[in-house]
Amino acid sequence: MNFDDTAEEAAFRTKVRSWIDENAPKHLEAQLRRAGFASSGGTTIEDSKAWQKKKYDAGYACPSWPKEYGGGGLSPIERVIWSQEEGPYAVLSGLFTIGVGMCGPTVMAWASEEQKRDLLPKLASGEHVWCQLFSEPASGSDLAGLRTRAERTTDGSGDWIINGQKIWTSGAHRSDYGILITRTDPTLPKHKGLTMFFLSMKSPGVEVRPIKQANGDSAFNEVYFTDVRIPDSQRLGAVNQGWEVSLTTLMNERLSIGSGMPTGFPELFDFCMNLQTEDGPAVNDRAVRSRLAGYAAKASGLKYTGMRAISALSKGETPGPENSIGKLVAGAMMQDLAMYALDLQGEAGVLADPAQAAAGARFQAMLLRSPATRVEGGTDEVLRNIIAERVLGLPGDIRVDKDVPFKDIPTSGRAKA
Amino acid sequence: MNFDFSPEQKQLRDQARRFLADKCPPAAVRAVLEGSHTHDAALWRGLGEMGFLGAAIPEEYGGVGLGHLELCVIAEEIGRALAPVPIASSIYLTAEALMLAGGEAQKQAWLPKLASGEAIGAFALGEGVGRVTEASIRATVSGGKLSGRKAPVADGEIADVAVVAAREGGKVSLFLVDLNGPGVTRETVTSIDPTRGQAVLVFADAPAERIGAVGDGWRLASEVMDRAAILMAFEQVGGADRALEMGRDYALERMAFGRQIGSFQAIKHMLADMYVAATLARSNAFYGAWALSTNAAELPVAAATARVSATEAFQLCAKNNIQVHGGMGFTWAFDCHLFYRRSNALALALGSKSTWEDLLIDRLRQRNEAAA
Ligand SMILES: Cc1cc2nc3c(=O)[nH]c(=O)nc-3n(C[C@H](O)[C@H](O)[C@H](O)COP(=O)(O)OP(=O)(O)OC[C@H]3O[C@@H](n4cnc5c(N)ncnc54)[C@H](O)[C@@H]3O)c2cc1C
């Protein structure tokens, strides 16, 4: 039980540190450190792409990918050391998270060798931004209920024609490529008739419409497909094997451990140290201390749960299912913590102007963004189901639609007259 | 980096688990609950013979000389089995206090007996209702004689020796008192968890030897309690895990409305939340174990974190385990209440949760100020 680097790990850390020292965009540092929750602190896409390209050239963009696909060929533990050292500059990589974390691994697992050598280095270098076209208006948690159709052309080319709609697609408006899950056979039960593709977002018939979010930003979109043609060579996996392919994507989400979800605790603690009340700093108050201690224990628990997973990885073991708890704990905690921070600010907690509000309006931004964390990438309820079923071995929910041909599944919750 | 127990430590855990499954089944815990004794003497001797009690005590003082990581592993198993033994009082507190600050003769006299289980130690700080603070210590020592009243003292009825906080010349110091000597009266008091006894100790000119420097008592006691808090956190994590398993098993077995109750989401999600709390607590306990075994500067932060997290997890798992069991969970015959009782008793031992929350914030603040 120790936190010390081995000699090789220490040498790698030194190397990474001096590389970052020489290459990082230092002129952005102050801005990035101030960057509020889920924001880029006013840095631009060009800033992001420039840093990504530099990292790529040095093998740090996708540290643990094989070199032939644009990676650095580094070990999992080296990847973790890299991300510990990257510090505030990691904010610049937000643009590529979905591509690098989810689309890339899916392409790596299912595309042809030629496609992998062509697509992955450009994804890694930040030349191409990717998005994930999974959720639809009628299928989020119940992803396998999706309706976007892919039908073979009759012209003998083997090409596919896509019609339908995706929704909540993060970054689609800035993306060059996407991975797209479609329904190819509605006569089969819902999980059995799906097929995965990748496509250029510039393909004729693709229309991206930004959605204005509850917090006022527009990071996600609706994406409409009208007779979009995709060559069969861009299919990932066999026809009707799409569900299995999608699991590669979703599992990789969980594997990106050790990166550590923010919880807001260090910021709240600082805030309470500095907030003056009639009885001195807020942190002197019993009630505040009790609340802070609860958050501190959770944040620490998440940190060391991550450490346990990294240890398992470094020993060549598969990290246990305890990693599914990260987003569940961090999401709800962040929301609760933001509400508490505003409460401590009194009536002025209502202000969201960074120039006027306490702590640069960081907690107001967190309040308004945090509901999304409890929904995106699996809702709190879906995550609890996963823990209950896969970790604790409890029975699955009753699924009345599992073995029914997709076309016969009812589509409205209201009883027919 | 390696944030895990070693293969040898995991073997030790398996060995302790097998030993306790054999020697401390629920019936043994129940025998103490329902009988007239406050601990299981045969089990206690067995733990001593196996070397479990002396795991962290050096060989020169009759221990096994393994270390604190090994003691953490054992503590978790003690917690899982709800072992009705005075290990916290005797090993986590008394032996730790002696190892930290005892004189050579004091160590020679008591550590071998504590390691073997032949003698039992108690740690007597509090004197009544309310938070224990330095100012709340009223017992006095003068001319090597202790007078005062300590309550509650865990395992006070069966202990042979106690570490007692008292004032000498106005300053709080720690003292070692032979409880079988003159001037000591004890009274067992009913508690929420009869499987770990509580007593009132009254001292009237009882001979007392100081441990550590004059006036260093409160600082020493805090240091001892930090170390004990980490070991206790492992007990709590062990108990939390077992309560979660019981709940899970019952949810798979019990049928209602033609289905396993474990197929209702309200039950599934309650169990998932128990798992989350237990996992966070385990990770924080690991952090504590690391700090304890390396004497890290972070030990005070790690101890308070582990303590707060483990208290929360064990209380949650124990109370929800009753909920999952329905009416059956509220019967004397089912074991759920044993966990409920223990979780709430351990939540108060060493100082209540709100006390540790306060400590945690003080310490985080000191750490931040030191870093600034
Ligand atoms: C900020 C943000 C970014 C996103 N980015 C992307 C993206 O890039 N690509 C993409 O494909 N998708 C994306 N999503 C979509 C996201 O994956 C879905 O919103 C999510 O899976 C939930 O689906 P839904 O919105 O259809 O809600 P629903 O599934 O309709 O859920 C509504 C409510 O019902 C509950 N519920 C549903 N099923 C169950 C069940 N079995 N048991 C108990 N409760 C249940 C849910 O927990 C929720 O509370 C994003 C979402 C957000 C908020």
Side-chain angles (χ1 to χ4, degrees):
Chain A
M1 182 91 69
N2 70 65
F3 287 122
D4 303 333
D5 287 336
T6 62
E8 299 87 73
E9 285 161 9
F12 180 74
R13 193 181 293 279
T14 311
K15 184 172 130 191
V16 163
R17 207 171 272 178
S18 63
W19 187 87
I20 290 175
D21 196 47
E22 281 159 31
N23 292 282
K26 296 231 175 72
H27 62 287
L28 299 175
E29 185 180 342
Q31 225 173 321
L32 290 169
R33 283 197 190 277
R34 273 197 316 274
F37 177 71
S39 97
S40 62
T43 56
T44 63
I45 292 183
E46 289 68 40
D47 293 331
S48 287
K49 289 202 166 193
W51 177 231
Q52 189 74 8
K53 179 69 167 57
K54 259 197 187 165
K55 291 199 289 183
Y56 170 80
D57 290 337
Y60 296 133
C62 296
S64 50
W65 286 14
K67 289 194 169 146
E68 58 272 32
Y69 304 139
L74 299 173
S75 71
I77 202 97
E78 286 169 329
R79 175 171 72 79
V80 171
I81 292 174
W82 161 264
S83 56
Q84 287 170 345
E85 295 297 325
E86 191 179 8
Y89 303 107
V91 173
L92 290 169
S93 305
L95 178 62
F96 311 107
T97 310
I98 290 178
V100 168
M102 298 170 80
C103 304
T106 310
V107 168
M108 207 178 299
W110 298 95
S112 73
E113 188 57 33
E114 195 189 331
Q115 287 167 333
K116 289 197 270 190
R117 287 176 189 265
D118 175 38
L119 297 167
L120 291 173
K122 290 181 199 134
L123 185 159
S125 71
E127 183 182 339
H128 290 157
V129 176
W130 284 62
C131 63
Q132 178 200 0
L133 298 150
F134 282 21
S135 302
E136 296 186 8
S139 59
S141 304
D142 184 14
L143 177 61
L146 62 92
R147 325 195 136 253
T148 293
R149 284 299 311 268
E151 289 167 297
R152 284 257 195 202
T153 51
T154 48
D155 61 10
S157 65
D159 291 355
W160 297 81
I161 301 295
I162 316 293
N163 280 290
Q165 182 198 350
K166 295 289 172 178
I167 196 167
W168 323 128
T169 319
S170 300
H173 56 304
R174 302 186 298 201
S175 291
D176 304 284
Y177 282 90
I179 54 174
L180 169 71
I181 185 158
T182 62
R183 183 161 309 278
T184 30
D185 190 345
T187 67
L188 295 172
K190 64 182 192 174
H191 293 90
K192 307 245 163 85
L194 306 175
T195 303
M196 188 79 79
F197 298 93
F198 69 87
L199 86 165
S200 162
M201 293 298 282
K202 316 271 164 10
S203 309
V206 176
E207 188 197 344
V208 177
R209 293 188 203 158
I211 301 175
K212 188 164 180 180
Q213 297 166 187
N215 66 342
D217 290 350
S218 286
F220 61 28
N221 305 271
E222 291 179 291
V223 182
Y224 290 87
F225 297 86
T226 312
D227 293 332
V228 175
R229 186 179 269 265
I230 301 184
D232 191 49
S233 60
Q234 290 179 206
R235 176 163 44 78
L236 295 170
V239 174
N240 296 334
Q241 198 188 7
W243 184 249
E244 199 183 320
V245 180
S246 77
L247 293 182
T248 318
T249 321
L250 301 176
M251 261 157 51
N252 268 287
E253 206 177 16
R254 213 160 311 138
L255 262 183
S256 55
I257 43 149
S259 45
M261 294 268 309
T263 59
F265 175 70
E267 294 82 359
L268 181 66
F269 192 76
D270 266 0
F271 177 68
C272 292
M273 296 260 286
N274 295 316
L275 178 68
Q276 293 302 320
T277 72
E278 275 178 24
D279 310 316
V283 72
N284 286 357
D285 182 285
R286 270 258 173 108
V288 173
R289 296 159 75 83
S290 169
R291 194 82 176 244
L292 283 177
Y295 294 137
K298 277 205 176 106
S300 166
L302 284 180
K303 173 174 169 194
Y304 293 107
T305 300
M307 293 282 188
R308 286 167 61 201
I310 293 163
S311 290
L313 261 184
S314 71
K315 282 184 270 184
E317 295 164 15
T318 315
E322 58 270 12
N323 300 300
S324 45
I325 75 172
K327 192 181 82 82
L328 179 60
V329 174
M333 170 167 161
M334 210 181 313
Q335 186 170 42
D336 190 64
L337 183 151
M339 288 181 185
Y340 190 55
L342 266 59
D343 180 272
L344 290 171
Q345 294 169 17
E347 287 179 38
V350 76
L351 301 178
D353 177 347
Q356 300 281 333
R362 164 188 294 281
F363 297 108
Q364 283 74 13
M366 195 182 269
L367 175 82
L368 295 178
R369 176 58 171 73
S370 55
T373 311
R374 300 182 54 197
V375 171
E376 63 194 329
T379 64
D380 283 3
E381 292 70 33
V382 165
L383 293 180
R384 286 197 177 89
N385 262 4
I386 289 175
I387 292 169
E389 293 169 22
R390 307 220 192 116
V391 181
L392 299 177
L394 292 164
D397 287 353
I398 291 177
R399 296 183 170 196
V400 287
D401 60 354
K402 201 164 152 232
D403 303 313
V404 182
F406 179 73
K407 61 183 177 46
D408 300 334
I409 297 173
T411 55
S412 166
R414 295 188 198 278
K416 290 198 181 95
Chain B
M1 192 198 73
N2 179 20
F3 194 52
D4 195 4
F5 288 99
S6 69
E8 294 74 26
Q9 287 156 353
K10 289 179 183 168
Q11 265 171 20
L12 176 67
R13 179 188 60 204
D14 294 344
Q15 192 194 7
R17 186 170 297 189
R18 277 196 306 273
F19 176 82
L20 286 158
D22 183 32
K23 299 286 193 290
C24 184
V29 184
R30 201 164 268 283
V32 171
L33 175 76
E34 295 170 352
S36 55
H37 297 291
T38 57
H39 82 303
D40 181 334
L43 174 62
W44 183 244
R45 272 195 306 279
L47 289 167
E49 280 158 17
M50 292 297 289
F52 294 148
L53 301 180
I57 297 176
E59 280 174 296
E60 49 181 318
Y61 298 115
V64 186
L66 287 168
H68 283 92
L69 289 176
E70 285 75 10
L71 189 55
C72 287
V73 160
I74 291 163
E76 182 180 340
E77 296 309 313
I78 294 281
R80 262 186 87 83
L82 294 181
V85 290
I87 189 167
S89 305
S90 201
I91 303 298
Y92 313 162
L93 290 161
T94 307
E96 287 297 323
L98 285 169
M99 288 194 284
L100 263 182
E104 190 54 31
Q106 291 168 333
K107 292 202 260 191
Q108 292 288 358
W110 290 106
L111 285 176
K113 290 184 189 161
L114 295 175
S116 68
E118 184 189 335
I120 292 170
F123 195 72
L125 223 52
E127 303 186 8
V129 174
R131 257 189 211 189
V132 184
T133 61
E134 184 163 18
S136 73
I137 309 284
R138 302 248 172 84
T140 54
V141 168
S142 75
K145 303 277 164 90
L146 167 71
S147 294
R149 181 177 184 274
K150 291 285 174 182
V153 179
D155 307 301
E157 191 203 41
I158 53 172
D160 301 288
V161 63
V163 173
V164 182
R167 289 181 186 275
E168 190 179 28
K171 292 182 183 147
V172 173
S173 306
L174 293 187
F175 296 88
L176 200 61
V177 180
D178 184 342
L179 296 181
N180 300 318
V184 180
T185 42
R186 6 181 165 194
E187 185 193 334
T188 304
V189 187
T190 319
S191 82
I192 57 170
D193 180 16
T195 65
R196 292 256 169 113
Q198 299 289 339
V200 175
L201 299 187
V202 179
F203 301 99
D205 286 336
E209 280 176 29
R210 192 165 31 76
I211 309 179
V214 177
D216 205 20
W218 187 252
R219 191 196 61 79
L220 260 180
S222 305
E223 214 176 304
V224 171
M225 290 211 291
D226 279 353
R227 303 173 75 81
I230 293 164
L231 295 160
M232 182 87 74
F234 274 90
E235 264 200 61
Q236 291 170 301
V237 165
D241 262 13
R242 185 68 200 117
L244 167 60
E245 285 170 22
M246 282 171 71
R248 191 263 324 267
D249 292 349
Y250 191 74
L252 287 170
E253 184 188 307
R254 172 75 176 170
M255 302 290 286
F257 299 93
R259 303 155 57 172
Q260 291 161 293
I261 59 165
S263 68
F264 298 119
Q265 278 195 354
I267 297 289
K268 285 167 80 168
H269 291 191
M270 185 156 60
L271 289 162
D273 287 340
M274 289 156 71
Y275 173 81
V276 167
T279 301
L280 294 176
R282 173 174 298 279
S283 301
N284 281 323
F286 275 37
Y287 171 43
W290 163 80
L292 181 61
S293 67
T294 56
N295 251 319
E298 276 180 77
L299 196 149
V301 170
T305 308
R307 172 77 180 151
V308 168
S309 194
T311 297
E312 195 166 300
F314 194 12
Q315 284 184 313
L316 179 79
C317 289
K319 76 177 180 186
N320 283 352
N321 182 34
I322 294 185
Q323 190 65 19
V324 170
H325 278 74
M328 200 60 98
F330 191 60
T331 60
W332 186 262
F334 256 59
D335 292 336
C336 302
H337 70 111
L338 301 180
F339 287 84
Y340 187 64
R341 289 170 182 278
R342 180 66 63 81
S343 70
N344 285 292
L346 293 189
L348 302 169
L350 307 177
S352 61
K353 183 163 162 241
S354 61
T355 309
W356 285 96
E357 288 173 344
D358 250 354
L359 287 172
L360 174 54
I361 297 308
D362 279 338
R363 291 163 179 189
L364 285 175
R365 195 169 171 180
Q366 280 156 16
R367 188 173 75 179
N368 275 21
E369 279 161 1

